Each structure stands twice: as C-alpha cells, then as structure tokens.
Amino acid sequence: MSWNGRNKSEITDKKTDQQEIISLLHAFSMRMYSERRKKIKEALSDNGESEVKSHGTKNEKE
C-alpha cells in the first residue's frame, strides 16, 4: 500500500511540475508577444505617417 501511495505522490508531483512548466512557458510567450506587438505597433505608426501622406497625395490626384 505504501508503494501505491508513493506512486500517486510521484504522479501528482510530475503533474505539478508539468503545470508549473506550462505556466512559465505561457508567461514567457505572452511577454515575448507583448514586446513584439509593441515593436510592430511602433513600426506601423512610423510607417503609417509616411503612408498616410503618400496615400493622401494619391487620393487627391484621383
């Protein structure tokens, strides 16, 4: 019986470890996504100003 109890405990520990790893991976990926999103947003806002000017000129001609 004690072997079965220890086996269940080991399984629980493995599940807890897996959950912790998944949680850490999720937090890391969300942080990376957030940083990437900020960079993309900055790039779009920088390019967006020049794009708006060129589109505005193009639209005025049409």
Side-chain angles (χ1 to χ4, degrees):
M1 283 259 168
S2 64
W3 184 81
N4 285 338
R6 186 172 56 169
N7 191 20
K8 288 180 184 178
S9 176
E10 288 175 9
I11 290 171
T12 303
D13 289 344
K14 286 182 182 181
K15 285 185 179 181
T16 302
D17 289 346
Q18 288 174 348
Q19 289 173 345
E20 188 172 344
I21 290 169
I22 290 169
S23 177
L24 290 170
L25 286 171
H26 177 73
F28 176 76
S29 65
M30 289 293 102
R31 185 173 183 180
M32 295 302 292
Y33 173 74
S34 176
E35 290 176 14
R36 184 178 61 205
R37 208 172 104 207
K38 286 179 188 175
K39 289 178 183 178
I40 291 170
K41 196 173 187 178
E42 288 174 6
L44 288 176
S45 68
D46 290 344
N47 288 337
E49 291 173 5
S50 62
E51 293 279 331
V52 168
K53 290 178 185 174
S54 67
H55 284 302
T57 307
K58 184 178 179 183
N59 288 339
E60 289 173 5
K61 289 180 182 178
E62 291 180 352

